[in-house]
Amino acid sequence: MSEKEKSSNHVSEIAGESSSAKEIVNPNMVPCSVCYKNPVHKTRNKFLQCHACQEKRRRGEANQSKQLEPFSFEKGCKRALASVDGDTDFFTEDRAASAARLIDCKPLSISIKRQRQDPLELFGLFHDSNLELLKSTLKDDSASCTFQFSSAASAIRTPAPPPPEYEDLAKACASSCLPFLLDKLGPLSEMDDSLQQQLNMDFRLSPYLLPAVAKLFTGAILHSPIGAIKLLTVEVYSRHASLDIHCEAGTVVSTLPNDNNTLYARIFCGTLVAADGKGAKRKLMVGTDTINILCICSVLVSATQSVSVGPNTNYNVDSSRTRIYFEIDAIREFQQKQQHITSQNVYEFDLNTLRQLISGFDSPTTYVPYRPTSSPFNDLHHMPATIFTSCDLPSHAGYGTNYTSAPKVASELLQLFARAIVTTSARLPKQQYADFRKKTDSVTTKGTKQWAALSAILVDLDQDFKSKEFIEVYVFIGNHGLQGISEVAGGALAEANKKIQKKHSSTTCAFVWHTRI
């Protein structure tokens, strides 16, 4: 066979059999990696694509670079702050834009096309000073990068200023005794319609979310004409007696939001006079249609520092002129717990998070963690004292109690009951009570009226433990009650909170926020 015939046969083999990869004769010829029809040389063809497919790819990239979908400043910020799992519902466009403006950034879209890969579009927030560095870092021969700013020209050149209300808060803090407070806290977001709706939900359907609500408000900032108020410790109460035996009847109507007494449509936030134990006190409260939030510890940020510890607050707050700001991370955490709500991942039992109460000890709702404290103040020397924790304060240190005092022993007994309910299925073992009893036996000054109330309960406990290895706590409380010893333990709280208030005054400014005073 002549050379010309051999060549003709070879060409016909390629042209006629190219639709089937396994029938190609030349070992260096392989099917196109896109259409699998036309043969290409596996070592000489960089993309392993035939001429027709390469032309289609080039035309597609050209069209893509020309037809990138435009986006507004707000939409770009929302895309940039969306979580990895695609959760774009957390940041509304307005909230995302506010966060970007606070950190002086603007949204940028980066479209990256690499060899034999689908295009990848990324959104981010960048300072102008970092854009050139970003471009040079991503520039290489194997990648095609397209940068696109938001479509709003004004937003591209200069980020829009923060809302006037936030500027007022920033100015108030900058000229106060805590000028660096906002810098330490990071980006804040004001109460919006979405959050108002969530705080007005029917918590009877999700009672395990109430501790998360309380935690959201620890660290919040209230901005009123008297200055900025940093919340440190709060207590949450449901308005439904079926959910919380301690729903505050005296403040049910007063804290209901309405057009006459609130700045927000569905949130009350201000001070009012309400019953507390045997008297009335001025309380700082946040109210919705379904819950009340009582502020127990707060710091007024003005020319001088004013600290309130306990249910009685030192200042007047007008609900019709007060705005509420939250840390963005706190809002995100709260909304994530809404999506994954169980008693295990929300109820973090801690005796320090039990509310200060004087009744209802036979109800499980007395022993739920509805009283968190903002870090770094969540220690016994800075969080307000309760009847469950005052026994842990140092003796003879200005807290109003000592080792042999009736309030100290009463608090320790109440803590013993609470610990049994939280950790041992509401059963108090005989050995634990015996260890506690050894301490009371050594006390000799028992002639006071306070000791009389305490001794009556101890006699009842001694009688029950003669024939039992453990007692059912709820049954015992139902039969004998604990209100008498709760009043004894509560007798020392005012003095203890005065000492804790002094601790705040000496550490809040100088240590935590590193201020100028």
Side-chain angles (χ1 to χ4, degrees):
M1 182 182 292
S2 66
E3 292 295 329
K4 184 175 182 179
E5 291 173 335
K6 292 180 180 179
S7 175
S8 177
N9 289 340
H10 180 65
V11 171
S12 65
E13 287 174 354
I14 295 176
E17 307 297 336
S18 61
S19 62
S20 177
K22 61 184 178 181
E23 295 180 10
I24 295 177
V25 176
N26 190 336
N28 290 323
M29 303 299 290
V30 297
C32 171
S33 62
V34 177
C35 66
Y36 295 98
K37 293 180 179 180
N38 301 322
V40 296
H41 200 284
K42 67 179 182 181
T43 60
R44 297 175 183 172
N45 191 310
K46 182 178 180 180
F47 299 99
L48 295 180
Q49 297 177 5
C50 64
H51 179 74
C53 291
Q54 289 191 43
E55 285 297 316
K56 289 181 181 179
R57 178 176 63 84
R58 294 190 187 101
R59 287 196 299 270
E61 290 178 350
N63 291 335
Q64 182 190 21
S65 64
K66 294 178 182 178
Q67 299 176 4
L68 288 175
E69 181 182 357
F71 58 90
S72 65
F73 181 82
E74 291 77 11
K75 184 171 292 186
C77 293
K78 181 178 179 180
R79 292 282 298 275
L81 294 175
S83 60
V84 176
D85 59 3
D87 176 19
T88 59
D89 294 332
F90 167 71
F91 277 104
T92 62
E93 290 185 3
D94 290 341
R95 182 180 291 168
S98 297
R101 288 163 181 152
L102 287 176
I103 57 177
D104 194 24
C105 287
K106 58 189 176 185
L108 179 67
S109 166
I110 306 173
S111 180
I112 303 175
K113 177 66 175 70
R114 292 184 178 274
Q115 300 174 5
R116 299 186 296 279
Q117 294 183 11
D118 293 333
L120 175 64
E121 186 176 20
L122 304 174
F123 279 81
L125 297 177
F126 298 91
H127 288 280
D128 287 334
S129 58
N130 294 331
L131 291 179
E132 291 302 323
L133 176 62
L134 176 67
K135 291 180 181 179
S136 61
T137 302
L138 293 178
K139 185 184 297 182
D140 64 70
D141 296 335
S142 63
S144 174
C145 298
T146 303
F147 296 86
Q148 183 184 12
F149 293 99
S150 60
S151 56
S154 60
I156 295 174
R157 295 190 180 97
T158 305
E165 296 81 7
Y166 188 86
E167 284 190 338
D168 292 341
L169 171 63
K171 291 177 181 178
C173 291
S175 60
S176 73
C177 61
L178 301 178
F180 308 119
L181 174 62
L182 297 188
D183 295 334
K184 293 293 181 180
L185 294 179
L188 302 178
S189 178
E190 188 180 355
M191 174 81 71
D192 60 12
D193 292 341
S194 174
L195 194 54
Q196 288 186 59
Q197 182 178 359
Q198 293 164 6
L199 293 173
N200 279 275
M201 68 178 288
D202 187 350
F203 287 96
R204 289 172 295 184
L205 303 178
S206 299
Y208 295 131
L209 193 58
L210 284 172
V213 173
K215 188 173 182 180
L216 171 67
F217 275 87
T218 59
I221 290 184
L222 312 181
H223 184 212
S224 74
I226 64 172
I229 301 171
K230 180 77 165 60
L231 306 186
L232 302 180
T233 303
V234 301
E235 294 179 348
V236 63
Y237 295 85
S238 171
R239 290 190 186 273
H240 301 108
S242 60
L243 183 58
D244 187 356
I245 194 175
H246 302 285
C247 62
E248 297 193 337
T251 59
V252 168
V253 178
S254 301
T255 59
L256 280 173
N258 60 65
D259 295 337
N260 297 324
N261 70 349
T262 60
L263 178 67
Y264 300 106
R266 305 188 66 186
I267 302 290
F268 170 91
C269 180
T271 51
L272 52 85
V273 177
D276 187 89
K278 296 181 179 179
K281 295 179 180 178
R282 182 171 57 194
K283 298 182 178 182
L284 175 58
M285 301 193 70
V286 178
T288 75
D289 292 338
T290 55
I291 59 173
N292 276 316
I293 298 168
L294 172 63
C295 180
I296 299 297
C297 183
S298 61
V299 180
L300 173 62
V301 182
S302 57
T304 58
Q305 177 181 263
S306 177
V307 181
S308 283
V309 177
N312 189 47
T313 188
N314 299 334
Y315 24 82
N316 286 314
V317 178
D318 184 355
S319 182
S320 64
R321 303 174 65 189
T322 300
R323 298 182 179 275
I324 307 175
Y325 293 88
F326 301 96
E327 296 180 49
I328 288 180
D329 288 343
I331 299 176
R332 179 185 291 275
E333 181 181 353
F334 171 67
Q335 295 183 337
Q336 286 176 343
K337 285 185 176 181
Q338 272 192 308
Q339 298 172 3
H340 311 285
I341 188 72
T342 67
S343 61
Q344 287 74 27
N345 63 22
V346 175
Y347 271 17
E348 299 174 357
F349 285 105
D350 183 344
L351 294 178
N352 291 336
T353 62
L354 299 184
R355 295 172 294 182
Q356 165 53 32
L357 303 166
I358 59 173
S359 62
F361 296 101
D362 56 345
S363 171
T365 60
T366 298
Y367 307 96
V368 286
Y370 287 175
R371 193 200 216 207
T373 298
S374 174
S375 177
F377 302 105
N378 52 346
D379 62 80
L380 289 171
H381 299 287
H382 290 93
M383 64 176 62
T386 70
I387 57 175
F388 300 106
T389 62
S390 62
C391 61
D392 296 316
L393 295 171
S395 296
H396 304 288
Y399 290 98
T401 59
N402 57 65
Y403 180 77
T404 61
S405 67
K408 188 90 164 181
V409 176
S411 173
E412 191 167 351
L413 179 58
L414 289 168
Q415 186 183 108
L416 188 66
F417 282 123
R419 191 165 67 238
I421 289 173
V422 171
T423 62
T424 60
S425 302
R427 289 183 171 184
L428 177 60
K430 185 175 184 177
Q431 185 58 50
Q432 288 187 16
Y433 177 70
D435 293 341
F436 163 78
R437 204 69 173 91
K438 292 176 183 177
K439 298 180 181 179
T440 62
D441 289 340
S442 63
V443 178
T444 57
T445 56
K446 298 182 180 180
T448 65
K449 184 177 179 181
Q450 289 181 325
W451 269 106
L454 184 57
S455 298
I457 291 293
L458 295 178
V459 169
D460 292 333
L461 284 168
D462 292 342
Q463 187 66 32
D464 280 10
F465 274 117
K466 285 182 179 180
S467 58
K468 300 176 183 177
E469 291 301 314
F470 61 84
I471 64 169
E472 299 288 348
V473 175
Y474 284 126
V475 174
F476 178 85
I477 296 175
N479 292 333
H480 303 281
L482 294 181
Q483 186 165 351
I485 64 169
S486 72
E487 293 177 356
V488 174
L493 295 185
E495 195 68 26
N497 285 334
K498 287 181 182 179
K499 176 72 173 182
I500 291 170
Q501 184 174 349
K502 293 180 181 179
K503 288 278 187 179
H504 272 289
S505 299
S506 62
T507 60
T508 302
C509 281
F511 176 70
V512 178
W513 288 300
H514 306 284
T515 61
R516 63 191 177 199
I517 65 173

